[in-house]
Amino acid sequence: SQQGEEDPQALSIQEGENATMNCSYKTSINNLQWYRQNSGRGLVHLILIRSNEREKHSGRLRVTLDTSKKSSSLLITASRAADTASYFCAPVGGNNRLAFGKGNQVVVIP
Amino acid sequence: DAGVTQSPTHLIKTRGQQVTLRCSPKSGHDTVSWYQQALGQGPQFIFQYYEEEERQRGNFPDRFSGHQFPNYSSELNVNALLLGDSALYLCASSFNTGYGANVLTFGAGSRLTVL
């Protein structure tokens, strides 16, 4: 399916550490997007990486994409307590539909 | 610039009732998508509206219907509510660039509880 599958599903780290999340998918994509959700509220777009890109940065975020392995990773550097949230990857295929996985729950301990 | 606004924020219904949820997209956006998010799960795509027509639909029964108005706002209607319909309903808007890289702007959601 097009749906992203995040790994690990739960992550607990100390403030200042880096957090890495992985996402796998099964079909070809046009792009892959990462979103954050705080406490059951709306999702916030973090970053989009196109299928012809391998790496992208935005502030403390670094996203990689390996289309041969159908996988992506999201790295948050120097984590802060405010980074505590659920993170979702959404592969976007030819139907331009975002297919979210169950998400990664990240807890940053002050 | 207002983002996506949804109403109501919370509501409680009983089984068999009908519910209407409303969404106003971000200014400049013309496409509205609806998602259902059960507790502990990721958002599941219900359908998408563009130019007042349903353009795509996810794996949801016909009890779920929608509408988009000329001002791009949208409604989600759910008939014959079931306990399993209890969830956070998220509206997301985007601008149809025609290039497929649709970044979504989400509202805060409407939390529906069915008793």
Side-chain angles (χ1 to χ4, degrees):
Chain A
S1 71
Q2 181 184 318
Q3 186 175 18
E5 296 181 13
E6 295 90 349
D7 172 61
Q9 293 195 351
L11 180 64
S12 183
I13 58 174
Q14 295 288 330
E15 199 167 30
E17 294 182 336
N18 296 339
T20 300
M21 289 155 272
N22 301 303
C23 168
S24 61
Y25 57 92
K26 295 182 179 178
T27 61
S28 61
I29 60 171
N30 291 330
N31 67 74
L32 185 142
Q33 303 180 29
W34 285 89
Y35 287 77
R36 183 188 73 226
Q37 184 178 37
N38 292 88
S39 298
R41 296 184 59 82
L43 281 73
V44 174
H45 177 259
L46 295 176
I47 197 165
L48 178 155
I49 186 165
R50 302 183 191 283
S51 60
N52 62 353
E53 297 176 311
R54 292 297 167 258
E55 187 171 314
K56 202 163 183 179
H57 297 254
S58 177
R60 294 183 295 112
L61 304 179
R62 172 178 170 257
V63 168
T64 63
L65 179 64
D66 187 333
T67 53
S68 67
K69 295 181 179 179
K70 292 186 168 57
S71 67
S72 175
S73 69
L74 171 67
L75 168 68
I76 305 173
T77 60
S79 63
R80 306 167 181 169
D83 294 327
T84 295
S86 292
Y87 292 83
F88 296 89
C89 74
V92 182
N95 60 8
N96 294 327
R97 181 189 304 181
L98 276 70
F100 294 94
K102 292 185 177 181
N104 293 90
Q105 293 192 17
V106 175
V107 175
V108 180
I109 302 168
Chain B
D1 177 25
V4 177
T5 58
Q6 292 188 243
S7 63
T9 55
H10 296 83
L11 69 166
I12 299 173
K13 294 285 188 178
T14 57
R15 281 178 296 175
Q17 285 189 314
Q18 178 264 346
V19 67
T20 297
L21 308 178
R22 297 176 176 82
C23 172
S24 292
K26 180 179 178 180
S27 178
H29 285 183
D30 56 7
T31 302
V32 173
S33 301
W34 286 92
Y35 287 81
Q36 180 196 64
Q37 186 177 26
L39 198 61
Q41 302 295 314
Q44 298 299 304
F45 177 77
I46 303 175
F47 42 52
Q48 182 186 79
Y49 278 84
Y50 171 66
E51 292 185 332
E52 301 180 48
E53 290 188 7
E54 182 182 295
R55 298 291 178 169
Q56 293 194 58
R57 189 178 184 92
N59 189 26
F60 279 80
D62 292 344
R63 298 186 298 109
F64 290 77
S65 63
H67 190 77
Q68 185 179 36
F69 299 94
N71 66 353
Y72 308 117
S73 66
S74 176
E75 288 182 349
L76 164 64
N77 300 293
V78 187
N79 295 323
L81 285 168
L82 303 174
L83 295 180
D85 295 332
S86 295
L88 180 67
Y89 288 84
L90 295 164
C91 171
S93 70
S94 58
F95 177 67
N96 187 349
T97 65
Y99 294 107
N102 295 321
V103 172
L104 301 181
T105 300
F106 281 84
S110 294
R111 184 164 297 282
L112 170 66
T113 301
V114 182
L115 301 177

